[in-house]
Amino acid sequence: MAGRKKPLVVITRKLPDQVETRMRELFDARLVVEDRPMSQPELVAAVKEADVLVPTITDRIDAALIAQAGPNLKLIANFGNGVDHIDVGAAAKKGMTVTNTPNVLTEDTADMTMGLLLTVPRRLTEGANILKSDGKWVGWSPTWMLGRRIWGKRLGIVGMGRIGTAVARRAKAFGLSIHYHNRNRVAPVIEDELEATYWESLDQMLARMDIISVNCPSTPATFHLLSARRLALMQPSAYIVNTARGDIIDEDALIQMLQDGKLAGAGLDVFEHEPAVNPKLVKLVDKGKVVLLPHMGSATIEGRIDMGEKVIINIRTFFDGHRPPDRVLPNRV
């Protein structure tokens, strides 16, 4: 971009220093000092003057905001894979391109999913907390803090995309039997590798699994995909883990089932009304029913830097007059 005016790139959140430094070198990058979500007036000001907006999941880029954008805003380069917080259709109608950062968080999110798959049935958080309480641990006992073995159990994966497949590979190594529900059946070579069983009916799979892992994207079609009716199909001894998006599960129904003992437990890294966490869920932590994490699935240094590099590539490609490699099309959301 030598000899040309650098595009004004407004970044809505604090990013890793390495990413911010590179953006300052390449663009007229406007950084933020405080690591907090922008207010609505700040977002409005940003879209009025920016050539490129770099939002994150904490920013609601809806049709009303896009309508207020200035004539220079041509690219929304999302710092993240999911774009459920962006009205991609409204952006397209106004001549804006939307990009995301796919394929860089797969392994990190799969690691976290596997961590919850181990933590919840084996009661790891409960055990760790006992040692922080003076005088509560009196030594080993053959009947104390008994959890559930995961080896040999059936794992049902809801959404067998990149992350779901990565979870399946890890889980198979831990001796779980792999089952999955997906819009489309995966390639036979992957099924053979994972010895995976495909379920066309989500209802039928849910009723037969020991553990359910939610790994599908958040779309209008997956909102409350795990509804009260579907959750009621699960066995009382079953566990559910969600590292995808909170609104895929009917959270109120899940809480009620956990309170009533109709599910054995849950591991949640995401919540339906983030960043708010239902107080009833927090109470269930104290009862050993759930493990809650503050949306940490992709939180690795390597992952965040890779995301930033993807954003930079998309911006540079766009302003070099080419189609960005990670363009999000409205009909694909």
Side-chain angles (χ1 to χ4, degrees):
M1 291 182 285
R4 284 185 286 163
K5 179 179 178 293
K6 292 181 178 181
L8 173 59
V9 177
V10 177
I11 302 152
T12 66
R13 294 298 296 266
K14 180 81 176 69
L15 302 183
D17 289 346
Q18 181 174 325
V19 174
E20 290 186 339
T21 300
R22 187 64 177 144
M23 284 192 171
R24 288 287 291 168
E25 291 172 347
L26 294 170
F27 317 122
D28 180 10
R30 184 168 299 172
L31 311 178
V32 293
V33 177
E34 295 182 58
D35 188 18
R36 60 169 179 80
M38 277 188 172
S39 66
Q40 194 64 21
E42 287 172 330
L43 279 174
V44 170
V47 299
K48 283 182 179 297
E49 59 182 338
D51 298 309
V52 181
L53 183 71
V54 180
T56 71
I57 189 175
T58 58
D59 304 303
R60 184 169 177 78
I61 315 299
D62 57 14
L65 180 69
I66 289 169
Q68 299 180 73
N72 293 331
L73 182 58
K74 298 299 181 184
L75 176 63
I76 301 174
N78 188 51
F79 185 84
N81 183 36
V83 291
D84 44 297
H85 57 296
I86 301 173
D87 191 327
V88 179
K93 287 179 182 177
K94 197 156 183 181
M96 300 175 190
T97 296
V98 177
T99 62
N100 64 345
T101 61
N103 304 324
V104 297
L105 306 178
T106 299
E107 304 304 328
D108 296 331
T109 306
D111 284 345
M112 186 63 77
T113 305
M114 199 64 219
L116 286 171
L117 283 172
L118 289 165
T119 299
V120 180
R122 291 303 307 272
R123 304 175 66 180
L124 300 187
T125 301
E126 289 178 79
N129 288 338
I130 288 293
L131 296 179
K132 295 193 300 182
S133 304
D134 294 339
K136 284 197 175 182
W137 188 52
V138 295
W140 181 87
S141 165
T143 58
W144 187 66
M145 284 297 294
L146 299 183
R148 291 278 183 172
R149 174 187 293 166
I150 69 163
W151 183 90
K153 296 296 191 294
R154 293 187 180 94
L155 171 65
I157 297 174
V158 181
M160 196 70 156
R162 290 182 297 268
I163 295 173
T165 302
V167 170
R169 290 194 173 102
R170 286 160 172 76
K172 184 174 183 292
F174 276 82
L176 285 98
S177 172
I178 306 302
H179 299 250
Y180 74 97
H181 169 78
N182 203 47
R183 283 184 302 173
N184 301 300
R185 195 163 181 166
V186 301
V189 64
I190 296 177
E191 277 194 1
D192 292 344
E193 173 201 347
L194 299 171
E195 301 177 39
T197 300
Y198 172 65
W199 293 83
E200 185 174 357
S201 167
L202 176 58
D203 288 8
Q204 291 181 3
M205 184 182 80
L206 291 171
R208 292 164 173 83
M209 297 297 110
D210 300 300
I211 306 171
I212 291 293
S213 177
V214 181
N215 300 108
C216 60
S218 174
T219 69
T222 62
F223 177 79
H224 283 191
L225 179 67
L226 296 184
S227 60
R229 180 190 67 81
R230 283 197 166 120
L231 290 171
L233 298 172
M234 295 176 62
Q235 303 174 52
S237 59
Y239 300 87
I240 189 165
V241 169
N242 187 7
T243 56
R245 285 292 187 268
D247 62 7
I248 298 170
I249 300 177
D250 183 336
E251 197 169 272
D252 289 335
L254 174 64
I255 290 169
Q256 191 63 54
M257 290 193 67
L258 290 166
Q259 289 175 334
D260 295 344
K262 295 180 179 179
L263 276 177
L268 306 175
D269 185 45
V270 289
F271 307 94
E272 187 167 353
H273 304 290
E274 277 185 43
V277 179
N278 193 313
K280 294 179 181 178
L281 276 175
V282 178
K283 289 182 179 179
L284 287 168
V285 172
D286 297 332
K287 296 180 180 180
K289 292 281 189 177
V290 298
V291 173
L292 306 179
L293 296 176
H295 205 138
M296 293 167 56
S298 62
T300 67
I301 294 170
E302 296 88 348
R304 294 289 190 254
I305 291 173
D306 288 346
M307 288 166 68
E309 289 176 352
K310 280 261 187 184
V311 170
I312 290 168
I313 289 170
N314 283 317
I315 296 172
R316 295 195 71 180
T317 305
F318 181 84
F319 281 95
D320 282 342
H322 304 293
R323 174 177 289 187
D326 303 309
R327 184 183 179 194
V328 179
L329 300 176
N331 62 353
R332 298 289 295 275
V333 178

